[in-house]
């Protein structure tokens, strides 16, 4: 099922981002996730980096969590908050609809550039 595969992709993307030093040292305001899928494959890409800002020299400790509420001067963007909400919605859709075809193989491609 496409929704099931997208959820797995979101979980993988979240794990990759949590481990990325680059992600911890940048604010990603205005970025988007691009979902591309067909009957067999799902791809999820981060796009729209025009407003991305390096914050490593602007915040104490040089990194942000992307998980704290925004406050003036903390550079938190809530990226993980949004990703978790999206994952929750996709799982709810999948649970409501159920698997479309239990026997089909699904693939997920994730690229973080």
């Amino acid at each position: 099922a496409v929704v099931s595969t997208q959820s797995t992709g979101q979980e993988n993307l979240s794990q990759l981002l949590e481990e990325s030093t680059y992600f911890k040292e940048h604010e990603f305001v205005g970025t988007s996730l691009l979902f591309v899928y067909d009957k067999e494959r799902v791809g999820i890409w981060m796009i729209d980096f025009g407003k991305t800002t390096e914050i490593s020299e602007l915040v104490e400790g040089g990194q942000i969590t992307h998980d704290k509420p925004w406050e003036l001067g903390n550079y938190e963007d809530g990226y993980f908050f949004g990703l978790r909400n999206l994952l929750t919605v996709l799982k709810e859709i999948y649970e409501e609809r159920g698997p479309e075809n239990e026997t089909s193989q699904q693939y997920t491609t994730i690229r973080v550039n």
Side-chain angles (χ1 to χ4, degrees), residues 12-93:
N12 291 340
L13 179 61
S14 182
Q15 182 180 355
L16 287 171
L17 294 176
E18 286 175 7
E19 296 170 0
S20 169
T21 302
Y22 183 86
F23 190 71
K24 293 174 186 175
E25 294 177 347
H26 288 78
E27 176 185 46
F28 290 88
V29 173
T31 61
S32 304
L33 292 176
L34 173 65
F35 293 82
V36 178
Y37 64 92
D38 60 23
K39 290 182 180 182
E40 297 178 359
R41 298 179 186 195
V42 174
I44 304 169
W45 290 267
M46 289 176 63
I47 61 172
D48 300 330
F49 295 98
K51 295 181 183 176
T52 300
T53 305
E54 183 174 359
I55 51 83
S56 59
E57 296 180 13
L58 302 175
V59 296
E60 186 177 329
Q63 297 183 342
I64 57 176
T65 66
H66 300 278
D67 211 13
K68 295 178 183 172
W70 180 86
E71 294 176 8
L72 185 61
N74 75 354
Y75 296 94
E76 291 288 345
D77 54 20
Y79 202 94
F80 285 128
F81 175 76
L83 201 55
R84 274 194 307 275
N85 283 338
L86 178 59
L87 182 57
T88 298
V89 169
L90 291 174
K91 284 181 178 180
E92 288 174 1
I93 292 170

Side-chain angles (χ1 to χ4, degrees), residues 1-5 89-104 106:
V2 170
V3 171
S4 176
T5 305
V89 169
L90 291 174
K91 284 181 178 180
E92 288 174 1
I93 292 170
Y94 178 71
E95 289 169 3
E96 284 180 16
R97 296 187 62 185
E100 295 171 358
N101 185 351
E102 298 269 342
T103 60
S104 68
Q106 301 295 323

